[in-house]
Each structure stands twice: as structure tokens, then as C-alpha cells.
Amino acid sequence: MRTWPVQEAKARFSEFLNACLLEGPQMVTRRGTEAAVLVSVQEWRRLQSAARPSLKQLLLSDQARTDLVVAPRGQAKRSPVEPML
């Protein structure tokens, strides 16, 4: 993966974009620190489809989220409660 300083990526954007499409993801740095990665739309969609579902998607799904077995109401064993002084 090639690394581009942000100023160079801005000044040579067409070349930056072509490198992404031909060579793969391109890293952008700001003040020497990795800041972003440019990826093709095809790669982005592949990554999105491989991503784990969001919390919202999990909560709204019809699929069971656990194999937890819950005792029928009133039959659960409880610990004795100590009186407060």
C-alpha cells in the first residue's frame, strides 16, 4: 500500500485515484500520521458485506441471539437476602 501525504494526494488527486483503482488501497497521512485510506467502491462494498452487523441490526433481527434457557416464572432459585441494619 502506497502512502501519500495529504498535500500530495490533494495536488495529484487523479493520479492518487488511479493508483487506488489499479494498485489497491492507498494510505493518506497528515503530519506523518496515518489518517485515512482510499479504497475502490468494489473493495468498500466487499468490506461492508463482510462486516459484523450493528447493534441496531442485531436488536431488530428475528433470529435468536442466545441459547439461554430461562426457568419458568416463579421457579428460579434465589439467594437468601440478609436484613439491612
Side-chain angles (χ1 to χ4, degrees):
M1 181 180 333
R2 184 170 168 191
T3 301
W4 299 70
V6 71
Q7 294 82 5
E8 186 179 348
K10 286 169 52 176
R12 299 169 50 197
F13 188 77
S14 291
E15 184 180 339
F16 176 52
L17 180 59
N18 285 336
C20 171
L21 297 174
L22 297 174
E23 301 168 19
Q26 303 292 304
M27 176 71 66
V28 180
T29 61
R30 180 181 283 166
R31 298 183 197 105
T33 303
E34 295 176 343
V37 176
L38 180 67
V39 296
S40 67
V41 171
Q42 180 182 5
E43 178 70 6
W44 175 255
R45 289 188 177 133
R46 186 189 69 75
L47 291 169
Q48 287 294 97
S49 67
R52 293 175 22 197
S54 69
L55 178 59
K56 179 180 178 180
Q57 290 169 326
L58 284 173
L59 293 174
L60 293 175
S61 76
D62 292 334
Q63 298 176 356
R65 292 181 285 279
T66 181
D67 294 330
L68 180 65
V69 178
V70 179
R73 188 173 177 103
Q75 295 181 5
K77 295 182 180 179
R78 298 183 184 193
S79 305
V81 179
E82 295 183 25
M84 295 180 65
L85 299 175

